[in-house]
Amino acid sequence: MLISQKISAVIITYNEIGYIEKCLDSILFADEIIVIDSYSTDGTFEYLKSNARIKTLQKPFENYTLQKSFALEQASHDWVLFIDADEIVTENLKKEIVQTVHNPTEHVAFWFYRQFMFQKEKLRYSGWQTDKNHRLFRKSKVKFTEKKLVHEALEVNGSSGVFQEKLLHYCYKNYTDYKGKMLRYGRLKAKEAFLRKEKFSYGALLLKPAWKFVYHYFLRLGILDGKKGIIICYLNAMSDLEKYRELKKLEATSSS
């Protein structure tokens, strides 16, 4: 039996010109589109404001969890599709979303597997082949956990299903952009570790990044992604290196 349900599509942005356009085009089936911008400087905000269909607000960025929690609060409808500005909903995935929302389901949230894209080429391995995130859920049944500042996670009050179709994720725009993203992630992970009272050690500084590269490049088959795999695995390992550098700074600051 078909049931009438509306969908709020929600995105957070910062300097996404060149990607946000295709993302928005792929979610026009949603009943409302809400974007929370972190004061972009590349024209993203102006582009969003020029589209009357999009509700656009600006909020200073503190961390991903706070930004996404604020964005979620703005949604008018219970079913929420929460995607990143560099993700695209394919036609087949759109059909699966609409069919799910308009039919009875026991689940209150759904996992999406993602197909990572290295510019315009598929990244098949490098540790990302089993990556999945909650992307469609009932607002009334979830909240973003306060324990994570980056790679934010949902606390779901109910069961979760898994979608068959994959979300396209254009994770790698260029070397400089991806490196900057990994360094930001590293600094936020350091804050998480500091709040957990994790202690800095030179052993972790030297071994954790090296192990992450080895794990993703060899055990998670980044080697099969060729040059793309080397770049991705190296920059992901750099994120761990930045985490421990930043953790050392945080400890020094707190003790001074």
Side-chain angles (χ1 to χ4, degrees):
M1 179 181 68
L2 291 176
I3 51 179
S4 178
Q5 296 281 2
K6 291 187 175 183
I7 303 173
S8 296
V10 183
I11 310 169
I12 65 171
T13 58
Y14 178 70
N15 288 351
E16 296 292 350
I17 280 294
Y19 286 83
I20 189 64
E21 299 92 333
K22 291 182 179 179
C23 174
L24 292 171
D25 286 344
S26 76
I27 57 172
L28 291 176
F29 62 92
D31 297 281
E32 72 171 354
I33 300 174
I34 299 165
V35 182
I36 308 301
D37 182 68
S38 302
Y39 291 91
S40 292
T41 58
D42 69 342
T44 296
F45 180 69
E46 291 74 15
Y47 173 80
L48 294 169
K49 290 296 287 184
S50 69
N51 191 325
R53 270 215 59 192
I54 303 169
K55 178 183 177 182
T56 306
L57 301 172
Q58 286 189 302
K59 181 182 182 300
F61 182 88
E62 294 180 60
N63 61 61
Y64 288 97
T65 295
L66 289 177
Q67 200 75 355
K68 289 197 171 185
S69 294
F70 175 79
L72 183 58
E73 291 172 4
Q74 312 311 310
S76 303
H77 309 306
D78 196 34
W79 276 113
V80 175
L81 175 65
F82 210 130
I83 66 173
D84 291 343
D86 56 1
E87 294 175 338
I88 292 177
V89 176
T90 66
E91 279 299 315
N92 287 338
L93 179 55
K94 167 188 167 182
K95 292 175 184 176
E96 192 172 5
I97 292 169
V98 171
Q99 183 179 22
T100 298
V101 167
H102 291 298
N103 283 280
T105 176
E106 62 182 304
H107 302 304
V108 300
F110 289 86
W111 294 101
F112 284 30
Y113 282 98
R114 296 191 291 177
Q115 172 60 65
F116 279 72
M117 303 296 291
F118 186 100
Q119 295 175 329
K120 295 182 180 180
E121 298 180 7
K122 288 183 179 180
L123 190 71
R124 300 184 183 278
Y125 303 102
S126 301
W128 298 120
Q129 56 266 48
T130 55
D131 173 85
K132 69 180 188 293
N133 299 89
H134 280 115
R135 284 291 187 253
L136 180 71
F137 44 79
R138 289 192 178 275
K139 177 182 175 181
S140 58
K141 298 294 184 179
V142 305
K143 69 173 183 177
F144 286 102
T145 176
E146 297 178 359
K147 297 176 182 178
K148 302 192 74 174
L149 304 181
V150 64
H151 301 313
E152 62 291 334
L154 279 180
E155 294 178 1
V156 179
N157 182 19
S159 63
S160 295
V162 182
F163 274 22
Q164 297 300 310
E165 297 294 331
K166 290 186 177 182
L167 188 67
L168 294 183
H169 183 201
Y170 287 83
C171 63
Y172 186 94
K173 302 175 185 178
N174 55 60
Y175 185 89
T176 301
D177 177 81
Y178 195 82
K179 179 181 177 181
K181 184 187 299 184
M182 290 303 100
L183 293 177
R184 290 193 297 275
Y185 286 172
R187 289 189 284 270
L188 286 171
K189 286 189 289 185
K191 290 181 181 179
E192 286 180 3
F194 184 73
L195 293 172
R196 293 194 306 266
K197 302 187 184 303
E198 181 179 331
K199 297 299 182 182
F200 167 81
S201 74
Y202 283 101
L205 175 69
L206 296 172
L207 296 176
K208 289 292 183 69
W211 167 244
K212 188 165 190 176
F213 178 84
V214 168
Y215 178 71
H216 283 276
Y217 189 65
F218 292 105
L219 300 182
R220 298 287 284 161
L221 304 179
I223 192 172
L224 298 182
D225 281 321
K227 183 179 179 181
K228 301 189 297 291
I230 294 175
I231 294 172
I232 290 293
C233 293
Y234 168 74
L235 291 177
N236 286 348
M238 182 181 289
S239 180
D240 271 15
L241 181 65
E242 182 68 9
K243 169 188 171 180
Y244 291 103
R245 286 174 173 168
E246 185 67 17
L247 181 57
K248 186 174 185 291
K249 293 177 184 178
L250 290 172
E251 286 186 0
T253 301
S254 68
S255 62
S256 60

